[in-house]
RNA sequence: GCCCGGAUGGCGGAAUUGGCAGACGCGGCGGACUCAAAAUCCGCUGGCCGCAAGGUCGUGUGGGUUCAAGUCCCACUCCGGGCACCA
C-alpha cells in the first residue's frame, strides 16, 4: 500500500524542524564562505498575499541552494512596521498602532513560515521597536552633526489624504503614490537629508552594479545630471543700457551655444526677485498671474494643455543679452521652475520648443542659431548642426557644431567673468519629516534660549507615548500631547519643546540590512565595522521594481554617508551588489489590491494544494522577472507532479515492484546519464534564475523515470535509487517539504537540506550519439545518428547516404554546408 | 514626444552562439483500470491537404541579409513600463 502524499501533515512538521534545528541560523564567526541573500523587508499588512509569497519563494530557494553548496547564508527577516495603515486603523477603530502592528506581524510571520521560508529569526528587526528607534535616531544625530540633516523652509508636497508632507519621490504624476490624492504645494519648514551631496556618486556607481538596466535607468533619470553654464543677465536701464548698481539675473542653460538666439528671459513665478524686477505698470498683471498660478494644482501646472499665452506675463523690465548687447524683455512663466537651476532662464525659441511656444503666443522674436537640416519641417530645432547668426565683435561661433560652440561660449563667459561652467542635478534633498504619529520621532528640541538642540545620545530612544488621541488634523498627534511636547533643554535645562514630526518610513528601511549583520545587539553602536564587513554588501537583493527610485536610492545614500562618517567600512559604498526585481502578481489582468477585494489568499491555496505545490506553481508559471496573472497558475498540475514524485520515491510504493540487480543495461546507463544531465541543467538554471525551465526539467526527468520503471525489463535497483535521490536533492530548494520527507523516509530520518549539492560528472555529460539534421535547401529531409566527433567528410557522406533513396540529390548539388555534428545542408 | 521591454498553438510558456520552432505544463481528444465515477496510468494534440506515406503553410506586419532567421538589419503596428515643461 502506497502511503498517501499529505502536505497538510508533513509541511508543518518540517517547518517546525527547520526553525528548531538552527540550520538556517548563522553566527558572525561562522567559518564558511558567507552569502547574504535578502528579500526586501515587508510592511506587515497581515497574512502574506500572493505577491509576498512569490518574492519570498525566490529568496528562500536561493538560501537553501547556497546552503547546500556549503556557504554560510545570512537569511534575515524583519518588518517595516511603521507607517500609515496602522495609524489609520487607530483613527478608525481606536486600537493602538502598536497592538495593531503586532497582530499583523504575527500573521505575516505565520504565513512566511507556512510557505516554508527559512530565516535566522534571532536577527529579526522591526522599525517600531524602541531598540530600532534608538538607532534610527542615533543615525539621524550623526547625520545632523555632519550637516547631512537640516531644517529648511521650502515649498513642499502636501498630501491632503495622508495629512502629511511627502518626498518628491513619493509624488507620481502630481499625485500621492500611496493614496492617489492630488498633491498640494505648501511652504513649510521641514527636515531634509542632504542626498544631493551624493548625486554624482549615486550616478557614477550605477555603472558597476549588477542591477536590472531598467532600474539603473530610472535612477539616472531621477538624478538627472545636466551640464551647462550659469551666467548673469544684466538688468537694463530705461534707455536700454546695463545697470551696474543692480545684481544681474542669474540664469542656467545647457545650451550656451545658442545664446545669440536669446530673445527674451523668463523667471519662475515664485522667483525671489519678482517684486524687485516688476515695473509699477505691470504690478497688477504680475500679481494676478502669480495668484492664479498659486491656486493651480500641480497636475494642472504639469499639464502641457492650455493656451500658452496664459502661462506667462511680462514684468515690464528688460535685461541685456551679454552675447549681443541687445535688450530683451523679462517675463514670468509657469513653465520655469523655481526649484531647478537658478529659477530663471534665457529663452531661445529657435532651439527650444517650450520657448518657441511661448514666443509664438506672445509675439516675440525668433532667431535660429543652429542651422536645421534641409528637410526639417518642425518648429524649434534641438538637434546638432552648424551654428548660424552667432557672431559678435568678440565671439564667433558660426559654423561650429553644438559641442564645440558650447565649449567656446563657456570659455568666453569665463574669460569675461560673466559666468561659469555648471553641473545641475534634478534630484532634490530628501524631505524626511512627516506629520504623523506612527513613525520614528525626530530627536530634536526647540529651546527658547538655545534654539534648536539635538537630543543627547544617552536620552535615546525618544519613543512616542501611548496615550495620544488619533485625529487626522494635519499635525502629528504628538503636538497635542503636553507630556511629550514639553521637555527641558539638554544644554540650559530651560523649558523646551520637542520636535513632533516623525521620520519618513523610508528612513527605517535605509539601514535595516546593516542591522541584520549585527548579531550582538547589546553593543553601543547600531552595527560594528566587523559585523558589516562580514556580510556586506548584500550578495543578492530581491524585491519589487516599485522601489527603484525610493528605497533603493535612499539606501544607497545612507550607505555612502555612513561610510564617509566611519560607521561602516570606508570601502563599502554600495549596499546591494546584485538586485533582482521580480514581477507583480495580477488577477484577471488587473492589479491586485486590498481595496478591490481581489487579493488571493495563499492560506487557502496552501490548505488545498500544499505549500510545495504553491511554490512550484510560482516558479513554473513564468520567468521570475515578469508580471504574472494568478489565473495562469497551474496548481493542479504542480500538485499532480508532486504526487507523481511521491509515488516514485516513497519506500513502500506499489509502483516499485520487481527491482532488477546485477550489471546495468543500456537503459540503466541512459537513466544514469540523464541523472547527471539533470544535475548540470538544474545547477545552471538556478544560477541564472531560470526557475520555470528548471521545473520543466524536473517534470521531464520524472516522466522518463516513469517510463523506465514501467518498462518491460523493469528498473535496476541501484540505478533507480540514485536517480531518485538526486532528484530529491535537486528539488530540495524548490519544494523543501516533500524533498525532506521523502529523503527522511528513504534514509532513516536523515536531512536532505544538510546534503551537499550534487555535482555532475563531466564524463557522463558526453554523449556518444547525436542527431544530425540533413537539410535540402534549408528544409529538414532526414535525420542521422552520428558520433559527436564526426569529421566533415564523414558527416557529408552520412548525409548523402540518408538521402540516397529519396532522389533529392540526383540533380547534383550547388553547395554543401556542413556543420558537424549537428547539421548538413545541401543546396540544389 | 523620448528611452527601455515585449508580441511564438486554445492558454502559460520553451528554443545559451543564426542551425530540427512549439520543451514542460494547462486545456482538449482517445485508450487502460472501474459496475460507474473520481484518482491514477498510457497515447495523441499548430493550421491546411491526404486513407496513408507524405506534402504544405506557420513565431505581430512589410521588406532585407544568409545555404539557413523566432533569433541579425531596416521600416511599421499593437501591448507593457519608465521619463516627460528640469532650460
Amino acid at each position: 500500500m502506497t502511503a498517501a502524499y499529505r502536505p497538510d501533515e508533513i509541511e508543518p512538521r518540517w517547518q517546525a524542524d527547520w526553525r528548531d534545528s538552527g540550520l538556517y541560523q548563522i553566527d558572525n564567526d561562522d567559518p564558511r564562505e558567507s552569502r547574504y541573500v535578502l528579500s526586501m523587508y515587508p510592511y506587515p499588512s497581515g497574512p502574506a498575499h500572493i505577491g509576498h509569497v512569490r518574492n519570498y519563494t525566490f529568496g528562500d530557494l536561493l538560501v537553501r541552494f547556497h546552503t547546500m553548496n556549503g556557504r554560510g547564508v545570512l537569511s534575515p527577516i524583519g518588518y517595516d512596521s511603521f507607517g500609515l495603515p496602522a495609524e489609520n486603523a487607530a483613527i478608525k477603530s481606536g486600537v493602538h498602532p502598536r497592538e495593531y502592528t503586532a497582530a499583523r506581524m504575527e500573521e505575516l510571520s505565520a504565513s512566511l513560515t507556512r510557505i516554508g521560508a527559512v530565516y535566522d529569526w534571532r536577527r529579526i528587526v522591526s522599525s517600531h521597536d524602541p531598540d530600532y528607534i534608538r538607532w534610527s535616531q542615533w543615525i539621524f544625530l550623526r547625520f545632523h552633526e555632519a550637516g547631512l540633516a537640516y531644517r529648511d523652509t521650502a515649498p513642499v508636497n502636501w498630501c491632503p489624504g495622508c495629512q502629511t508632507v511627502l518626498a518628491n519621490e513619493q509624488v507620481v504624476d502630481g499625485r500621492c503614490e500611496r493614496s492617489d490624492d492630488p498633491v498640494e504645494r505648501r511652504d513649510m519648514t521641514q527636515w531634509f537629508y542632504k542626498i544631493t551631496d551624493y548625486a554624482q556618486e549615486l550616478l557614477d556607481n550605477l555603472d558597476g552594479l549588477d542591477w536590472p538596466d531598467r532600474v539603473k535607468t530610472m535612477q539616472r533619470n531621477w538624478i538627472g545630471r545636466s551640464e551647462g553654464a550659469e551666467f548673469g543677465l544684466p538688468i537694463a536701464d530705461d534707455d536700454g543700457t546695463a545697470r551696474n548698481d543692480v545684481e544681474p539675473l542669474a540664469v542656467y542653460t545647457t545650451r550656451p551655444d545658442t545664446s545669440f538666439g536669446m530673445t527674451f528671459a523668463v523667471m519662475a513665478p515664485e522667483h525671489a526677485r519678482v517684486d524687485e524686477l516688476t515695473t509699477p505698470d505691470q504690478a497688477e498683471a504680475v500679481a494676478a498671474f502669480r495668484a492664479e498660478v498659486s491656486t493651480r494644482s500641480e497636475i494642472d501646472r504639469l499639464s502641457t494643455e492650455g493656451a500658452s499665452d496664459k502661462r506667462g506675463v511680462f514684468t515690464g523690465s528688460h535685461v541685456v543679452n551679454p552675447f549681443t548687447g541687445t535688450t530683451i524683455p523679462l517675463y514670468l512663466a509657469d513653465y520655469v521652475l523655481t526649484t531647478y537651476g537658478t529659477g530663471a532662464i534665457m529663452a531661445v525659441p529657435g532651439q527650444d520648443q517650450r520657448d518657441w511656444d511661448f514666443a509664438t503666443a506672445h509675439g516675440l522674436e525668433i532667431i535660429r542659431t543652429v542651422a536645421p537640416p534641409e528637410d526639417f519641417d518642425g518648429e524649434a530645432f534641438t538637434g546638432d548642426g552648424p551654428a548660424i547668426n552667432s557672431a559678435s565683435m568678440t565671439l564667433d561661433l558660426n559654423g561650429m557644431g553644438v559641442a564645440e560652440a558650447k565649449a567656446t561660449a563657456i570659455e568666453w563667459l569665463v574669460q569675461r567673468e560673466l559666468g561659469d561652467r555648471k553641473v545641475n542635478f534634478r534630484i532634490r534633498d530628501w524631505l524626511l519629516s512627516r506629520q504623523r504619529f506612527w513613525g520614528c520621532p525626530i530627536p530634536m528640541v526647540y529651546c527658547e534660549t538655545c534654539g534648536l538642540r539635538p537630543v543627547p545620545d544617552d536620552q535615546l530612544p525618544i519613543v512616542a507615548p501611548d496615550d495620544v488621541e488619533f485625529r487626522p488634523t494635519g499635525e502629528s498627534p504628538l503636538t497635542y500631547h503636553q507630556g511629550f511636547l514639553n521637555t527641558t533643554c539638554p544644554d540650559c535645562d530651560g523649558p523646551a519643546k520637542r520636535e513632533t514630526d516623525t521620520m519618513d518610513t523610508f528612513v527605517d528601511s535605509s539601514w535595516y540590512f546593516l542591522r541584520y549583520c549585527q548579531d550582538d545587539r547589546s553593543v553601543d553602536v547600531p552595527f560594528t565595522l566587523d559585523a558589516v564587513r562580514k556580510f556586506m554588501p548584500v550578495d543578492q537583493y530581491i524585491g519589487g521594481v516599485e522601489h527603484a527610485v525610493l528605497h533603493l536610492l535612499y539606501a544607497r545614500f545612507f550607505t555612502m554617508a555612513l561610510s564617509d562618517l566611519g560607521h561602516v567600512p570606508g570601502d563599502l559604498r554600495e549596499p546591494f551588489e546584485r538586485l533582482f526585481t521580480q514581477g507583480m502578481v495580477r488577477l484577471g489582468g488587473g492589479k491586485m489590491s486590498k481595496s478591490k477585494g481581489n487579493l488571493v489568499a495563499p492560506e487557502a491555496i496552501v490548505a488545498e494544494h500544499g505549500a510545495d505545490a504553491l511554490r512550484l506553481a510560482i516558479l513554473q508559471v513564468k520567468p521570475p522577472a515578469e508580471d504574472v496573472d494568478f489565473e495562469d497558475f497551474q496548481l493542479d498540475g504542480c500538485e499532480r507532479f508532486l504526487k507523481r514524485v511521491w509515488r516514485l520515491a516513497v519506500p513502500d510504493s506499489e509502483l516499485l515492484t520487481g527491482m532488477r540487480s546485477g550489471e546495468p543495461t543500456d537503459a540503466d546507463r541512459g537513466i544514469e546519464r540523464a541523472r547527471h544531465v539533470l544535475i548540470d541543467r538544474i545547477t545552471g538554471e538556478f544560477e541564472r534564475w531560470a526557475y520555470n525551465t528548471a521545473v520543466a526539467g524536473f517534470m521531464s526527468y520524472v516522466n522518463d523515470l516513469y517510463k523506465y520503471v514501467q518498462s518491460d525489463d523493469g528498473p535496476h535497483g541501484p540505478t533507480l535509487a540514485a536517480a531518485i535521490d538526486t532528484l530529491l536533492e535537486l528539488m530540495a530548494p524548490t519544494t523543501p517539504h516533500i524533498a525532506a520527507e521523502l529523503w527522511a523516509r528513504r534514509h532513516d530520518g536523515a536531512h536532505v537540506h544538510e546534503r551537499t549539492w550534487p555535482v555532475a560528472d563531466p564524463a557522463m555529460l558526453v554523449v556518444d550519439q547525436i542527431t544530425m539534421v540533413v537539410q535540402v535547401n534549408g528544409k529538414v529531409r532526414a535525420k542521422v545518428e552520428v558520433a559527436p566527433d564526426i569529421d566533415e567528410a564523414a558527416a557529408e557522406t552520412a548525409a548523402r547516404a540518408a538521402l540516397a533513396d529519396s532522389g533529392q540529390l540526383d540533380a547534383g548539388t550547388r553547395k554543401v554546408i556542413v556543420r558537424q555534428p549537428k547539421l548538413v545542408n545541401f543546396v540544389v
Side-chain angles (χ1 to χ4, degrees):
Chain A
M1 185 62 196
T2 308
Y5 171 49
R6 291 284 307 278
D8 58 323
E9 188 270 318
I10 62 172
E11 290 179 351
R13 193 150 41 73
W14 283 105
Q15 286 152 12
D17 180 87
W18 297 324
R19 191 161 183 156
D20 298 341
S21 72
L23 182 60
Y24 298 101
Q25 292 178 358
I26 181 170
D27 295 325
N28 279 32
D29 58 3
D30 190 292
R32 293 171 293 179
E33 181 198 344
S34 74
R35 272 286 192 292
Y36 192 171
V37 176
L38 183 63
S39 300
M40 288 182 184
Y41 80 157
Y43 177 80
S45 53
H49 58 72
I50 198 78
H52 283 128
V53 177
R54 192 173 187 216
N55 191 208
Y56 293 98
T57 295
F58 296 141
D60 188 60
L61 186 151
L62 277 180
V63 169
R64 293 176 182 276
F65 176 61
H66 286 308
T67 301
M68 289 180 78
N69 276 284
R71 293 157 194 144
V73 182
L74 176 57
S75 170
I77 186 72
Y79 295 106
D80 187 14
S81 52
F82 269 137
L84 271 180
E87 187 168 349
N88 290 339
I91 291 167
K92 216 165 142 187
S93 63
V95 59
H96 192 278
R98 180 173 300 103
E99 292 168 36
Y100 177 88
T101 302
R104 301 292 83 75
M105 281 170 52
E106 205 48 54
E107 291 163 349
L108 187 46
S109 296
S111 0
L112 292 177
T113 298
R114 191 60 191 84
I115 60 161
V118 284
Y119 301 105
D120 184 348
W121 288 92
R122 301 171 306 172
R123 291 177 187 258
I124 193 167
V125 304
S126 27
S127 308
H128 79 289
D129 185 332
D131 178 64
Y132 197 85
I133 290 173
R134 175 186 177 195
W135 297 116
S136 287
Q137 292 172 337
W138 185 90
I139 293 169
F140 174 92
L141 292 172
R142 299 293 85 75
F143 281 19
H144 184 250
E145 287 161 6
L148 289 170
Y150 68 96
R151 216 165 98 96
D152 195 18
T153 304
V156 297
N157 310 297
W158 174 264
C159 173
C162 299
Q163 290 281 307
T164 183
V165 298
L166 303 173
N168 287 323
E169 288 81 359
Q170 289 165 316
V171 180
V172 178
D173 291 334
R175 292 173 179 274
C176 170
E177 57 115 23
R178 270 198 56 79
S179 70
D180 211 36
D181 288 301
V183 164
E184 298 166 8
R185 281 270 157 188
R186 287 193 184 181
D187 277 311
M188 292 177 75
T189 304
Q190 296 290 311
W191 286 96
F192 293 86
Y193 274 141
K194 215 168 175 186
I195 192 171
T196 53
D197 271 12
Y198 289 90
Q200 189 67 53
E201 188 174 0
L202 287 168
L203 183 67
D204 291 343
N205 291 5
L206 285 173
D207 294 331
L209 295 178
D210 187 0
W211 285 21
D213 285 337
R214 191 159 60 120
V215 176
K216 291 204 231 181
T217 305
M218 284 164 76
Q219 292 215 350
R220 282 192 194 102
N221 287 342
W222 188 259
I223 294 165
R225 184 183 196 274
S226 79
E227 278 179 42
E230 189 174 312
F231 60 97
L233 303 178
I235 311 301
D237 223 334
D238 287 344
D239 58 6
T241 54
R243 290 172 60 173
N244 292 325
D245 57 333
V246 184
E247 181 78 9
L249 179 68
V251 293
Y252 170 73
T253 180
T254 56
R255 296 292 303 275
D257 61 301
T258 65
S259 300
F260 286 90
M262 178 198 326
T263 53
F264 59 101
V266 189
M267 285 193 288
E270 302 87 353
H271 197 285
R273 295 180 70 187
V274 171
D275 288 333
E276 175 203 342
L277 296 174
T278 300
T279 59
D281 55 314
Q282 284 297 96
E284 205 176 311
V286 166
F289 175 69
R290 295 180 79 186
E292 199 261 316
V293 168
S294 68
T295 60
R296 244 185 290 162
S297 72
E298 273 295 288
I299 297 174
D300 288 345
R301 202 170 153 180
L302 281 170
S303 160
T304 43
E305 305 294 311
S308 304
D309 60 334
K310 297 236 176 83
R311 306 191 61 195
V313 65
F314 182 44
T315 60
S317 292
H318 289 77
V319 294
V320 177
N321 178 348
F323 287 80
T324 59
T326 46
T327 302
I328 55 174
L330 174 63
Y331 280 78
L332 244 49
D334 68 350
Y335 75 88
V336 175
L337 307 177
T338 185
T339 44
Y340 186 77
T342 62
I345 61 159
M346 67 171 204
V348 185
Q351 267 69 234
D352 185 292
Q353 190 59 42
R354 296 156 296 175
D355 295 345
W356 177 288
D357 293 340
F358 194 83
T360 311
H362 291 262
L364 296 159
E365 193 184 358
I366 296 171
I367 303 171
R368 287 198 190 278
T369 57
V370 178
E374 294 270 319
D375 57 351
F376 181 71
D377 61 354
E379 299 178 332
F381 176 66
T382 54
D384 201 352
I388 51 172
N389 303 323
S390 298
S392 67
M393 305 280 278
T394 54
L395 177 65
D396 183 356
L397 305 177
N398 285 337
M400 294 181 185
V402 168
E404 191 192 355
K406 258 188 206 178
T408 312
I410 291 173
E411 200 180 311
W412 184 86
L413 284 167
V414 171
Q415 268 173 13
R416 278 162 185 70
E417 296 184 346
L418 293 169
D420 209 344
R421 182 179 306 279
K422 172 89 188 203
V423 171
N424 253 316
F425 291 95
R426 201 187 84 115
I427 188 174
R428 313 287 147 74
D429 278 337
W430 171 13
L431 196 168
L432 75 107
S433 38
R434 296 290 180 274
Q435 291 68 50
R436 299 300 305 220
F437 169 80
W438 195 234
C440 178
I442 294 172
M444 299 294 292
V445 301
Y446 301 91
C447 169
E448 287 163 21
T449 45
C450 309
L452 190 57
R453 305 303 305 158
V455 172
D457 286 0
D458 59 15
Q459 289 179 23
L460 300 182
I462 305 300
V463 179
D466 280 352
D467 55 337
V468 295
E469 262 196 85
F470 294 101
R471 287 175 304 179
T473 62
E475 283 180 292
S476 166
L478 296 173
T479 314
Y480 304 102
H481 191 283
Q482 297 306 313
F484 179 82
L485 182 65
N486 296 307
T487 182
T488 53
C489 173
D491 297 319
C492 73
D493 248 1
K497 297 211 184 299
R498 283 195 194 283
E499 170 64 75
T500 55
D501 282 356
T502 52
M503 297 183 203
D504 182 1
T505 55
F506 280 105
V507 173
D508 307 313
S509 53
S510 291
W511 67 278
Y512 77 105
F513 47 89
L514 295 167
R515 183 62 170 171
Y516 282 147
C517 301
Q518 186 59 38
D519 52 349
D520 174 7
R521 301 275 167 94
S522 66
V523 296
D524 61 356
V525 285
F527 28 77
T528 62
L529 289 177
D530 281 344
V532 171
R533 203 176 279 119
K534 164 89 181 168
F535 296 112
M536 288 294 290
V538 173
D539 294 289
Q540 180 67 66
Y541 200 30
I542 305 162
V545 73
E546 65 272 17
H547 290 117
V549 290
L550 289 156
H551 163 61
L552 289 168
L553 194 62
Y554 297 145
R556 296 180 62 215
F557 157 63
F558 254 56
T559 303
M560 289 174 193
L562 288 167
S563 173
D564 281 338
L565 298 178
H567 302 302
V568 301
D571 57 359
L572 180 69
R573 304 303 290 180
E574 288 292 339
F576 314 124
E577 198 120 294
R578 295 184 77 196
L579 171 70
F580 188 87
T581 49
Q582 92 279 4
M584 286 202 310
V585 182
R586 301 172 182 279
L587 186 62
K591 195 173 176 172
M592 233 188 261
S593 73
K594 235 182 194 170
S595 53
K596 284 188 185 164
N598 63 352
L599 287 177
V600 176
E603 276 78 14
I605 300 168
V606 168
E608 190 182 343
H609 302 277
D612 280 336
L614 174 57
R615 291 168 65 115
L616 198 66
I618 283 170
L619 297 172
Q620 185 234 23
V621 66
K622 250 191 175 191
E626 288 175 32
D627 286 357
V628 58
D629 199 308
F630 180 74
E631 288 175 353
D632 295 328
F633 276 44
Q634 297 177 0
L635 289 157
D636 289 326
C638 289
E639 189 184 350
R640 189 173 306 154
F641 167 73
L642 292 178
K643 285 180 182 164
R644 269 166 82 80
V645 172
W646 181 271
R647 277 191 300 274
L648 189 64
V650 75
D652 55 2
S653 174
E654 286 164 346
L655 196 62
L656 307 175
T657 48
M659 213 70 85
R660 194 157 38 78
S661 59
E663 284 302 299
T665 63
D666 280 353
D668 302 334
R669 280 189 288 271
I671 289 295
E672 176 63 5
R673 188 176 301 114
R675 182 172 80 88
H676 286 272
V677 169
L678 185 73
I679 294 168
D680 186 58
R681 168 177 177 170
I682 297 298
T683 306
E685 285 173 330
F686 276 11
E687 276 161 1
R688 38 180 253 267
W689 286 70
Y691 302 133
N692 53 332
T693 54
V695 173
F698 289 138
M699 289 176 168
S700 265
Y701 180 74
V702 169
N703 289 344
D704 290 347
L705 290 185
Y706 263 71
K707 287 197 188 85
Y708 173 65
V709 165
Q710 296 174 18
S711 64
D712 291 344
D713 287 350
H716 182 248
T719 303
L720 183 65
I724 292 170
D725 281 345
T726 297
L727 175 69
L728 296 178
E729 288 171 331
L730 295 176
M731 284 179 64
T734 53
T735 49
H737 312 85
I738 190 173
E741 179 70 19
L742 288 171
W743 190 272
R745 289 190 187 214
R746 292 167 67 84
H747 297 281
D748 209 15
H751 294 271
V752 74
H753 295 286
E754 292 173 17
R755 299 283 299 171
T756 299
W757 189 254
V759 178
D761 176 359
M764 294 297 286
L765 300 177
V766 177
V767 288
D768 47 13
Q769 289 277 293
I770 188 165
T771 306
M772 186 172 77
V773 174
V774 183
Q775 296 181 333
V776 177
N777 288 341
K779 290 184 177 165
V780 181
R781 292 297 180 222
K783 293 174 185 181
V784 204
E785 291 297 311
V786 299
D789 58 351
I790 190 170
D791 66 24
E792 188 172 336
E796 185 176 339
T797 308
R800 283 186 185 280
L803 291 178
D805 294 341
S806 72
Q808 296 189 71
L809 300 179
D810 293 356
T813 56
R814 281 201 302 152
K815 196 171 177 183
V816 182
I817 288 107
V818 181
R819 293 282 178 278
Q820 77 277 14
K822 294 186 81 172
L823 171 139
V824 176
N825 187 15
F826 295 102
V827 185
V828 302

